[in-house]
């Protein structure tokens, strides 16, 4: 088990060294962020605007959806974008946070 983890880590490091970049997440429609309305937009409306979330979770007992695209490069600028939406118990947006680097 330990050897497999070491082998996977070495393979990933080698790949990143030769590739020079890494990406995780998925693209989402960042131009739709301004359409989110706190205490109005529903979970199904969010899904229609952005598609399936990249990650789901809980924050303070409330359902959260995360949309994110993260790209790191050894040879150029990093680019990250994420949108974290928290829903109330009725599936309505309670809060959201959008961040981006360019």
């Amino acid at each position: 088990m330990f050897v497999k983890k070491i082998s996977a880590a070495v393979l990933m490091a080698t790949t990143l060294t030769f590739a020079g970049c890494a990406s995780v997440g998925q693209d989402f429609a960042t131009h739709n962020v301004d359409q989110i309305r706190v205490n109005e937009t529903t979970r199904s409306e969010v899904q229609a605007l952005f598609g399936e979330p990249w990650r789901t979770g809980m924050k303070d007992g409330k359902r959260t959806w995360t949309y994110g695209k993260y790209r790191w490069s050894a040879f150029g600028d990093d680019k990250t974008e994420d949108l974290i939406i928290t829903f109330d118990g009725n599936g309505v947006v309670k809060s959201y946070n959008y961040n981006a680097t360019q």
Side-chain angles (χ1 to χ4, degrees), residues 4-5 17-19 23 29 36 58 60 63 65 88 91:
K4 285 183 180 181
K5 286 183 179 182
T17 299
F18 288 110
S23 295
I36 300 171
M58 299 291 284
D60 299 326
R63 173 74 50 202
W65 284 6
D88 66 15

Side-chain angles (χ1 to χ4, degrees), residues 26 38-39 55 58 74 86 89 97-98 102:
Q26 62 190 31
V38 172
N39 297 322
R55 293 185 316 174
M58 299 291 284
T86 302
N97 188 18
Y98 172 71
Q102 302 280 343

Side-chain angles (χ1 to χ4, degrees), residues 55-96:
R55 293 185 316 174
T56 62
M58 299 291 284
K59 177 185 175 190
D60 299 326
K62 307 276 193 259
R63 173 74 50 202
T64 62
W65 284 6
T66 301
Y67 295 88
K69 176 71 175 182
Y70 310 94
R71 183 178 184 280
W72 298 276
S73 175
F75 306 108
D77 294 332
D78 297 337
K79 183 175 182 182
T80 64
E81 296 175 299
D82 58 29
L83 171 63
I84 303 168
I85 303 171
T86 302
F87 297 96
D88 66 15
N90 296 317
V92 176
V93 173
K94 183 73 175 164
S95 66
Y96 70 94

Side-chain angles (χ1 to χ4, degrees), residues 21-41:
C21 65
S23 295
V24 295
Q26 62 190 31
D27 287 325
F28 62 99
T30 58
H31 62 276
N32 287 336
V33 171
D34 62 353
Q35 295 183 41
I36 300 171
R37 300 287 179 256
V38 172
N39 297 322
E40 292 180 23
T41 307

